[in-house]
Amino acid sequence: MRFESQAACSIQELEQRSIRAGDSVIIDFGGHRTGYLSFKLRATGREADAPVRLRLVFGEVLNDVASPLYPYSAWLSQAWLPEEIITVDDIPQDVRVPRRHAFRFVLLEVIATSKEFAVQVHKVRAHAVTSAPATFNELPTQVPDWVRRVDEVSIATLRDCMQTCFEDGPRRARRLWIGDLRLQAMTSYRVYGNEVDMQLVKRCLYLFAGLPREDGLVNACVYERPRPTYANIVALDYSALYAVVLCEYVVASGDHEAGLDLWPVARRQLELLLQHVGPDGLFSDPGDVWIFIDWADELERSSAMQGVLLFSLQKLLALAQILGLNDEVVQWKVLAQQMQTQARAQYWDTDQQLFVSGEGGQVSCASQAWLVLAGVAPDDLLGAAAVRKAMERADSVKPVTPYLYHYLVEALHSCGDRAGATALLKHYWGGMAELGADTFWEAYNPKDPLHSPYGDSHANSYCHAWSCTPAFFFRETGFFNVL
Amino acid sequence: MRFESQAACSIQELEQRSIRAGDSVIIDFGGHRTGYLSFKLRATGREADAPVRLRLVFGEVLNDVASPLYPYSAWLSQAWLPEEIITVDDIPQDVRVPRRHAFRFVLLEVIATSKEFAVQVHKVRAHAVTSAPATFNELPTQVPDWVRRVDEVSIATLRDCMQTCFEDGPRRARRLWIGDLRLQAMTSYRVYGNEVDMQLVKRCLYLFAGLPREDGLVNACVYERPRPTYANIVALDYSALYAVVLCEYVVASGDHEAGLDLWPVARRQLELLLQHVGPDGLFSDPGDVWIFIDWADELERSSAMQGVLLFSLQKLLALAQILGLNDEVVQWKVLAQQMQTQARAQYWDTDQQLFVSGEGGQVSCASQAWLVLAGVAPDDLLGAAAVRKAMERADSVKPVTPYLYHYLVEALHSCGDRAGATALLKHYWGGMAELGADTFWEAYNPKDPLHSPYGDSHANSYCHAWSCTPAFFFRETGFFNVL
């Protein structure tokens, strides 16, 4: 992670130090939080006879505050850089930075005072904000250390993303994405799991439902501020997952009322998406709409999308069953069966014992994850083996986001391969934890931890919702048997 | 003034323009104000998908926004530079810059958006704040144009410095100095002149009275924020002027109650200061305390200080008379007479028909101004001539601040030399007005308008209390006879 920290002094000692113009300090809060910074600014030397201009940089990881923000080379807006220039007119003064930040570290640089005085910072505080409850379902006491740590970090990640909606990450956009929402929701049911806490999932489901594209397809992402609006970004796989989130919400909460209310929205997604499934039962990429799956550019997405669509259709059928709406989906039961059969016939390569995708027969982890999860593999043993094999093969397209890593673990888990799921979880999330993560990251390449999908690690979010699911897996019944 | 402005578009047209990252605009409010900036920030192109980071520079004069602030070479704190970096998270958004600024111009630079959108600024507003009344005593309608303009600018200067105290200037320290207070108070009596408006003078008198040095000498300067405190700067001439301000306040307001309440403070100043007057009736510089008079380094201050002290003593005696406290100052009446006689004997050079100062017999405008004002000149004609002569002589120490220019005009005026006073006023304040001043400046050298006593014109205050007195002179009875 490029930097190591060495404590210069305690926070009590810091309060005694005079910081002159040109000097800076890095304050380590010892853990990640989403929230606000406050401190008292005092003058030393003589009475302050000028304002104080400060530069503050908020760091989720040490690299954020230890390496210069500029020159900035990401293609994401430079306005995301977590930096504030503030001028404090009247010293002594209580300072509260008005913008919310996601941080463990704060670099405080004194840009200017007068020559007559220096400053001291007192009572430095991080005011954490979250809509997560203070208590959660604890793990059994006897779990291994790495599990305990990964679980803590998972829960911190979930907590710091739980605000007025499930944010994808508190550092940048703070937006609600369907893909992230599913992982946050399923984890929150296990970690918190009482009805009140599920209200946040419900709120998010309604936000998406209230802000669809003209034809009814839900947007991949909505913003809450300054007023609820959609980002005008549609991803076919994310639209499909709306039905998954709704089904799992109804199962977890028993809230049939919301289920019935939102049923038309979930059904509409499948109606629209299944238009891209031909008479052969296979999804055909229309080419003009984004399919996310993972950030890997070279990924051939058609077979993975077949898996997402089938998985979502299966969840919709399950939801119809729960809500007593079977009559509405009679024809889709047949279609689901056909999609499964055809996908196996088309994508399962009997020689390789793997799913392939596209004309070149690309082998990708994404295809294995989603088709296995949709039950397309010949059986659980072969499904789990396909996932593991794809991860091991040198020539396969590997996952680049924790989001897809999650689905690999979920696929293994769905096949009952707890050992495989645990090993992958330990390798990936355990790897981040070993590198000192306080919250799990938006992007993590075990071979290049500071790699950024944006072209600059200062653009990365280091507390990212789609990384929070280890706490889900740890709480699945019996998951600990193999730990 | 180095720059000329050319209108690029109207403010209505500006609202239609998209401003991209890297672009900037200068907004001209058409006049100076002390206050707050607000605007609405909108996105153009598509929905804003990132924050907007802006840089704002507030300019009292065009040079502030047209020439780069950096590198900054003044010895005053760089934190005074009127610059803000703000990040606006949720667009569209109403933005109100929380810090108060003094400005006519605002440079708005878009540092960063995303590549997806640009911004528009709508409803740009300057919210002026002042404690000055909205109406004032108008000049007669037939005054010359230059008088009308200089008067407007004077009143704008006074208005923008009148806040919760009489600030020296709204751009930087916003502090209350006794020297500035006297000029603001005397001008405000003429310009506004009703009892309620005089409450601000009273408030300032009490602020100084409540925050003296240990021995009772009032500080030259006090701050109001974050709590009333003194700057620990004493200037002997400023302490003396406390009695002048109090006397003139009681005369203008008839507020004998405050006069009696504050009498001990005024008397204490003279008690302490007259300790530096020897048996010869002459002030002797103790050398360890600041004497301001003017910023000119080479100025020999002893004779000018004799004038300040005598003038202040005369005002104290007048105050005693008004308050019925003559008994308390019997011995000082004699002393005042002696100080006047001795000063004339010592400092009036009969050959040159001028006051001189110090061992080298320095001829300075400051000496003429203060000794004439204290009635030390042999007569009014000689006094006025001495002031004019000192201004004309190549080898005299010239004034460098509007503060001393004021006392030159006041000295001429006190001798009944209205033509001389008017000519000087027109030359100096009229000169600033011709250069486009909306408010009068802290420093103005007619031969080098952008000269800074601080080493960088960006440190100068261009709305400075001690420059506001033309509006006083214009309202003196009969002053217009010679215009």
Side-chain angles (χ1 to χ4, degrees):
Chain A
M1 288 299 285
R2 202 178 293 167
F3 294 97
E4 263 180 42
S5 69
Q6 229 178 347
C9 68
S10 70
I11 195 74
Q12 289 75 24
E13 285 161 345
L14 176 67
E15 294 197 349
Q16 304 307 315
R17 293 202 181 184
S18 289
I19 313 171
R20 300 206 71 84
D23 288 351
S24 61
V25 295
I26 291 173
I27 298 162
D28 179 356
F29 286 92
H32 187 282
R33 61 266 296 147
T34 298
Y36 300 88
L37 179 74
S38 77
F39 51 90
K40 290 174 184 293
L41 202 62
R42 294 193 189 165
T44 61
R46 47 169 274 186
E47 200 78 28
D49 62 345
V52 174
R53 189 160 284 155
L54 301 174
R55 176 168 176 265
L56 301 166
V57 177
F58 293 82
E60 298 189 280
V61 294
L62 197 52
N63 181 59
D64 289 332
V65 291
S67 80
L69 295 184
Y70 304 97
Y72 175 73
S73 52
W75 52 266
L76 288 183
S77 169
Q78 184 182 307
W80 291 122
L81 285 178
E83 183 187 22
E84 306 282 348
I85 309 281
I86 61 170
T87 308
V88 184
D89 281 313
D90 305 307
I91 319 294
Q93 190 68 255
D94 291 349
V95 177
R96 187 182 170 103
V97 178
R99 294 178 71 222
R100 206 193 73 183
H101 286 278
F103 61 105
R104 167 177 169 169
F105 302 98
V106 174
L107 168 70
L108 183 149
E109 181 186 334
V110 179
I111 297 177
T113 61
S114 79
K115 287 169 188 162
E116 301 292 340
F117 71 104
V119 296
Q120 283 179 339
V121 287
H122 289 246
K123 295 200 194 305
V124 181
R125 297 280 182 276
H127 306 267
V129 290
T130 179
S131 58
T135 58
F136 52 85
N137 302 325
E138 303 273 358
L139 290 186
T141 50
Q142 75 283 10
V143 300
D145 286 349
W146 79 266
V147 170
R148 182 159 306 286
R149 182 59 191 154
V150 167
D151 193 60
E152 283 168 2
V153 176
S154 297
I155 292 173
T157 307
L158 180 61
R159 175 198 70 203
D160 289 353
C161 292
M162 283 175 77
Q163 302 295 334
T164 54
C165 70
F166 280 102
E167 299 183 4
D168 61 335
R171 181 190 184 114
R172 291 195 320 264
R174 308 169 187 185
R175 281 166 200 167
L176 172 59
W177 293 84
I178 296 181
D180 299 71
L181 173 60
R182 190 213 162 210
L183 306 190
Q184 290 169 300
M186 70 194 287
T187 306
S188 76
Y189 304 145
R190 298 286 179 196
V191 171
Y192 303 113
N194 76 57
E195 215 176 304
V196 173
D197 308 333
M198 296 184 194
Q199 296 290 313
L200 190 63
V201 181
K202 184 175 174 180
R203 183 166 195 279
C204 293
L205 283 166
Y206 274 95
L207 276 166
F208 282 114
L211 297 162
R213 203 168 74 165
E214 222 169 62
D215 60 2
L217 209 65
V218 295
N219 278 278
C221 160
V222 297
Y223 314 168
E224 280 197 286
R225 286 174 305 271
R227 56 178 190 286
T229 186
Y230 54 84
N232 222 356
I233 301 171
V234 166
L236 295 183
D237 51 336
Y238 275 28
S239 297
L241 290 173
Y242 186 86
V244 177
V245 184
L246 182 59
C247 174
E248 292 174 347
Y249 167 72
V250 172
V251 169
S253 67
D255 181 0
H256 287 209
E257 192 184 335
L260 287 165
D261 199 28
L262 293 172
W263 165 260
V265 179
R267 192 187 51 195
R268 179 67 180 153
Q269 305 314 305
L270 273 298
E271 256 171 32
L272 290 163
L273 294 167
L274 292 173
Q275 290 171 3
H276 303 299
V277 173
D280 57 359
L282 294 178
F283 169 80
S284 162
D285 187 348
D288 57 353
V289 189
W290 187 35
I291 299 172
F292 174 61
I293 307 292
D294 194 20
W295 278 123
D297 284 336
E298 69 275 28
L299 181 64
E300 210 293 324
R301 287 164 160 79
S302 54
S303 66
M305 185 62 206
Q306 175 86 8
V308 174
L309 204 47
L310 180 53
F311 179 70
S312 303
L313 181 55
Q314 289 160 348
K315 290 282 185 177
L316 188 82
L317 296 175
L319 180 60
Q321 177 77 32
I322 293 165
L323 298 175
L325 297 169
N326 273 333
D327 292 352
E328 293 200 26
V329 291
V330 173
Q331 78 290 9
W332 283 350
K333 285 193 177 161
V334 182
L335 179 60
Q337 193 52 53
Q338 188 203 358
M339 285 175 71
Q340 191 173 26
T341 312
Q342 290 299 312
R344 191 177 301 157
Q346 186 68 25
Y347 297 129
W348 181 257
D349 182 320
T350 321
D351 294 341
Q352 300 190 78
Q353 300 281 75
L354 276 168
F355 290 108
V356 293
S357 188
E359 292 186 5
Q362 186 187 73
V363 175
S364 71
C365 295
S367 301
Q368 315 309 314
W370 281 108
L371 288 169
V372 166
L373 201 52
V376 179
D379 63 38
D380 282 352
L381 277 179
L382 285 170
V387 171
R388 292 197 309 269
K389 225 181 295 178
M391 284 296 287
E392 283 156 17
R393 270 175 68 142
D395 64 345
S396 67
V397 180
K398 299 292 186 311
V400 299
T401 61
Y403 175 74
L404 182 53
Y405 268 95
H406 162 86
Y407 281 106
L408 289 162
V409 177
E410 189 176 349
L412 290 169
H413 184 243
S414 74
C415 296
D417 181 8
R418 290 167 182 170
T422 304
L424 185 54
L425 202 155
K426 183 174 184 180
H427 168 69
Y428 193 67
W429 282 267
M432 280 190 263
E434 271 184 23
L435 287 168
D438 300 296
T439 46
F440 288 125
W441 307 342
E442 175 179 25
Y444 169 55
N445 177 345
K447 289 173 184 158
D448 181 9
L450 280 172
H451 173 78
S452 169
Y454 307 115
D456 190 321
S457 61
H458 288 309
N460 287 18
S461 156
Y462 289 95
C463 173
H464 219 71
W466 68 19
S467 256
C468 77
T469 55
F472 163 82
F473 291 115
F474 290 149
R475 283 168 183 75
E476 280 290 289
T477 316
F479 197 70
F480 287 105
N481 298 353
V482 294
L483 293 173
Chain B
M1 289 299 285
R2 202 179 291 168
F3 295 96
E4 263 181 41
S5 69
Q6 229 179 345
C9 69
S10 70
I11 195 75
Q12 288 75 25
E13 285 161 345
L14 176 67
E15 294 197 350
Q16 304 308 314
R17 292 200 182 185
S18 288
I19 313 171
R20 301 205 70 85
D23 289 350
S24 61
V25 295
I26 291 174
I27 298 162
D28 179 356
F29 287 92
H32 187 282
R33 61 265 297 146
T34 298
Y36 300 88
L37 179 75
S38 77
F39 52 89
K40 289 174 184 294
L41 202 63
R42 293 193 190 165
T44 62
R46 47 168 275 186
E47 199 77 29
D49 62 345
V52 174
R53 189 160 284 153
L54 301 174
R55 177 170 175 263
L56 301 166
V57 178
F58 293 83
E60 298 188 280
V61 294
L62 197 53
N63 182 59
D64 289 331
V65 290
S67 80
L69 296 183
Y70 304 97
Y72 175 73
S73 52
W75 51 266
L76 288 183
S77 169
Q78 183 182 307
W80 290 123
L81 286 177
E83 183 187 22
E84 306 282 349
I85 309 280
I86 60 169
T87 308
V88 184
D89 280 313
D90 304 308
I91 319 296
Q93 190 69 254
D94 290 350
V95 177
R96 188 181 169 103
V97 178
R99 294 178 70 222
R100 207 193 73 183
H101 286 278
F103 61 105
R104 167 177 169 169
F105 302 98
V106 174
L107 168 70
L108 183 148
E109 181 186 333
V110 179
I111 296 177
T113 61
S114 80
K115 288 169 187 162
E116 302 292 340
F117 71 104
V119 296
Q120 283 179 339
V121 287
H122 289 245
K123 295 199 194 307
V124 181
R125 298 279 182 276
H127 305 267
V129 290
T130 178
S131 58
T135 58
F136 52 84
N137 302 325
E138 304 273 358
L139 289 186
T141 50
Q142 76 283 10
V143 299
D145 285 349
W146 79 265
V147 171
R148 183 158 306 286
R149 182 59 191 153
V150 167
D151 194 60
E152 283 169 1
V153 177
S154 297
I155 293 173
T157 307
L158 179 62
R159 175 198 69 202
D160 289 353
C161 292
M162 284 175 75
Q163 303 295 335
T164 54
C165 70
F166 281 102
E167 298 183 6
D168 61 335
R171 181 191 184 112
R172 292 194 320 263
R174 309 168 187 186
R175 280 166 202 169
L176 172 60
W177 293 84
I178 296 180
D180 300 70
L181 173 60
R182 190 216 161 208
L183 306 190
Q184 289 168 300
M186 70 194 286
T187 306
S188 75
Y189 304 145
R190 298 286 179 196
V191 172
Y192 303 113
N194 76 57
E195 215 176 303
V196 173
D197 308 333
M198 297 183 194
Q199 296 290 312
L200 190 62
V201 181
K202 184 175 174 179
R203 182 165 196 278
C204 293
L205 283 165
Y206 273 96
L207 276 166
F208 282 114
L211 297 162
R213 203 168 74 166
E214 222 169 61
D215 60 1
L217 209 65
V218 295
N219 278 279
C221 159
V222 297
Y223 315 167
E224 281 196 285
R225 286 174 305 270
R227 56 177 191 287
T229 187
Y230 54 84
N232 223 354
I233 301 172
V234 166
L236 295 182
D237 51 336
Y238 275 27
S239 296
L241 290 173
Y242 186 86
V244 177
V245 184
L246 182 60
C247 175
E248 292 174 346
Y249 167 72
V250 171
V251 169
S253 67
D255 181 1
H256 288 210
E257 191 184 335
L260 287 164
D261 199 29
L262 294 171
W263 165 260
V265 179
R267 192 187 51 196
R268 180 66 181 154
Q269 305 313 305
L270 273 298
E271 257 172 30
L272 290 163
L273 294 167
L274 292 172
Q275 290 172 3
H276 303 299
V277 173
D280 57 359
L282 294 177
F283 169 80
S284 162
D285 187 348
D288 57 353
V289 189
W290 188 34
I291 299 172
F292 174 61
I293 306 293
D294 194 19
W295 277 124
D297 284 337
E298 69 276 28
L299 181 64
E300 210 294 322
R301 287 163 161 79
S302 54
S303 67
M305 185 62 206
Q306 176 86 8
V308 174
L309 205 46
L310 180 52
F311 178 70
S312 303
L313 181 55
Q314 290 160 348
K315 290 281 187 178
L316 188 82
L317 296 175
L319 180 60
Q321 177 75 31
I322 293 165
L323 298 176
L325 297 169
N326 273 332
D327 293 352
E328 293 202 24
V329 291
V330 173
Q331 78 290 8
W332 283 350
K333 284 193 177 161
V334 182
L335 179 60
Q337 194 53 54
Q338 188 203 358
M339 284 176 71
Q340 189 171 27
T341 312
Q342 291 300 312
R344 191 177 300 157
Q346 187 67 25
Y347 297 130
W348 182 257
D349 181 319
T350 321
D351 294 342
Q352 300 191 80
Q353 301 279 76
L354 275 168
F355 291 109
V356 294
S357 188
E359 292 186 4
Q362 185 187 72
V363 175
S364 71
C365 295
S367 301
Q368 316 308 315
W370 281 107
L371 287 169
V372 166
L373 201 53
V376 179
D379 62 38
D380 281 353
L381 278 179
L382 286 170
V387 170
R388 292 197 307 269
K389 225 181 294 176
M391 284 297 286
E392 284 156 17
R393 271 175 67 142
D395 65 344
S396 67
V397 179
K398 300 291 187 309
V400 299
T401 61
Y403 175 74
L404 182 53
Y405 268 95
H406 162 86
Y407 281 106
L408 289 162
V409 177
E410 189 176 349
L412 290 168
H413 184 243
S414 75
C415 296
D417 181 7
R418 290 167 183 170
T422 304
L424 185 54
L425 202 154
K426 183 175 184 181
H427 168 70
Y428 194 68
W429 282 268
M432 279 189 263
E434 271 184 22
L435 287 169
D438 300 295
T439 46
F440 288 125
W441 308 342
E442 175 179 25
Y444 169 54
N445 178 345
K447 290 173 185 159
D448 181 9
L450 280 172
H451 173 78
S452 169
Y454 307 115
D456 190 321
S457 61
H458 288 309
N460 286 18
S461 157
Y462 289 96
C463 172
H464 219 71
W466 67 20
S467 256
C468 76
T469 56
F472 163 83
F473 291 115
F474 289 149
R475 283 167 183 75
E476 279 291 288
T477 317
F479 195 70
F480 288 106
N481 298 354
V482 294
L483 292 175

